[in-house]
Amino acid sequence: RNNSWNEIQTFALPIPNFGAIISVTQNAGYCAFQSGNNAIHIFKKSNDSYMFKQTNVFGDNNIRNVKILPDGSYLFVSLSGVNDSGFIRILKNDSDIFFSVTLITPADQQNYAYFGEALAVSEDCQYVVAGARGYDVSEPNDDRGCFYVYKRVNDTFTLVTQVKNTEGSRGDALGSAVAIFTYNGKRNIAVSTPFADSGGVDRGKIELYEFDGTSLALIETMFPDDRTGKCWFGKSIAISNTGVMVIGTPCSYVQEENDNGGVVYIRRIK
């Protein structure tokens, strides 16, 4: 309000990792917080405060990501799975109770692929983008990475396409961050490869695709234009439906190379 942020409420629980991963609906009706390694606390807004609704515990699986839809209808929880292979559990909201309806597990599941650690869901819940930064493309432990796009039909998610980093190098980690958004009437997907060596070791890049619901068309590749050394460009990304992209580059130097500084870029999509 008036270009300032005011504290509404504080949650404090003596639980390890409480709040390490959070998600909030667009209308601020629901909040979901990681609690411990394997649980989610869900709160709902009532007047000007949030009231506790439920806790979901996911067994021996560590939580990797959480996304709750803008209207609060679905909750997506990325979980570690066996040997960090990864899978996504989807919960549906029925009268303010979230219950599990299905899973997303890749058919070519690999150990230590970290499937779903990077996760994006379209606002209409029609499409899910899941990164797998540790996916091996051509040989064991090459960690070139890939990403998947799924389509929802009722409460089932089917694979639309998978993009593997076939032209990259060992350790590139395609799929470290993903986003799906609508801009100028078109649906787009952004995917980062933060350890790509284009123009410099671990400089990183982001690829922007136009998505028509069945196929992807690469329309732009982004780099940190003012730096050529190690940046990890795109280690994190966030994009608004107005075309504004915020890009985290935690290893970009600030004053001199290897000073361990970080840079956040804000760009507008063309």
Side-chain angles (χ1 to χ4, degrees):
R1 183 180 298 174
N2 297 326
N3 294 322
S4 65
W5 294 90
N6 298 315
E7 182 176 319
I8 297 175
Q9 190 172 350
T10 299
F11 299 97
L13 292 178
I15 300 173
N17 293 322
F18 177 71
I21 300 174
I22 61 175
S23 183
V24 61
T25 59
Q26 192 173 45
N27 61 7
Y30 292 92
C31 292
F33 302 86
Q34 178 181 349
S35 180
N37 292 324
N38 65 342
I40 293 289
H41 290 329
I42 300 172
F43 295 79
K44 185 180 180 182
K45 188 177 181 182
S46 176
N47 297 320
D48 288 329
S49 63
Y50 287 85
M51 307 299 292
F52 172 76
K53 296 299 296 184
Q54 74 183 75
T55 298
N56 291 82
V57 181
F58 301 96
D60 295 331
N61 294 287
N62 292 330
I63 293 169
R64 300 303 189 201
N65 208 331
V66 177
K67 299 290 183 185
I68 190 166
L69 288 195
D71 62 0
S73 57
Y74 286 88
L75 175 66
F76 293 74
V77 183
S78 294
L79 298 162
S80 58
V82 178
N83 293 329
D84 281 314
S85 54
F87 67 96
I88 302 167
R89 183 173 291 280
I90 296 94
L91 296 90
K92 188 175 184 178
N93 187 349
D94 184 2
S95 301
D96 286 341
I97 298 175
F98 288 84
F99 63 96
S100 179
V101 291
T102 191
L103 302 175
I104 301 177
T105 303
D108 59 345
Q109 192 173 46
Q110 293 182 358
N111 290 338
Y112 308 107
Y114 298 97
F115 170 84
E117 183 180 76
L119 173 66
V121 185
S122 63
E123 289 189 352
D124 58 7
C125 197
Q126 291 303 301
Y127 299 98
V128 174
V129 184
R133 62 178 175 85
Y135 185 90
D136 299 330
V137 175
S138 60
E139 60 184 354
N141 303 316
D142 69 19
D143 295 341
R144 290 189 180 189
C146 75
F147 69 94
Y148 305 76
V149 182
Y150 294 88
K151 181 178 181 179
R152 179 173 72 90
V153 178
N154 297 320
D155 288 329
T156 300
F157 291 81
T158 58
L159 181 66
V160 176
T161 188
Q162 177 187 12
V163 176
K164 301 178 182 180
N165 186 15
T166 56
E167 303 298 324
S169 302
R170 174 181 289 271
D172 276 354
L174 171 66
S176 290
V178 298
I180 183 168
F181 60 102
T182 301
Y183 179 57
N184 285 340
K186 297 180 179 179
R187 202 183 298 269
N188 298 274
I189 291 174
V191 184
S192 76
T193 310
F195 308 131
D197 297 335
S198 302
V201 176
D202 289 346
R203 185 185 183 206
K205 66 179 180 180
I206 294 172
E207 292 170 310
L208 183 63
Y209 297 86
E210 188 174 297
F211 178 55
D212 64 6
T214 57
S215 61
L216 294 165
L218 179 65
I219 57 176
E220 186 176 358
T221 302
M222 302 178 182
F223 302 96
D225 296 330
D226 56 344
R227 287 166 172 78
T228 57
K230 181 176 72 173
C231 295
W232 295 7
F233 182 76
K235 189 67 168 62
S236 58
I237 54 177
I239 308 175
S240 74
N241 285 340
T242 60
V244 175
M245 177 183 289
V246 182
I247 305 165
T249 59
C251 282
S252 291
Y253 61 89
V254 176
Q255 296 178 334
E256 60 183 20
E257 290 198 44
N258 299 317
D259 67 4
N260 294 320
V263 175
V264 173
Y265 294 88
I266 300 177
R267 296 184 178 179
R268 183 173 292 278
I269 297 170
K270 298 175 183 178

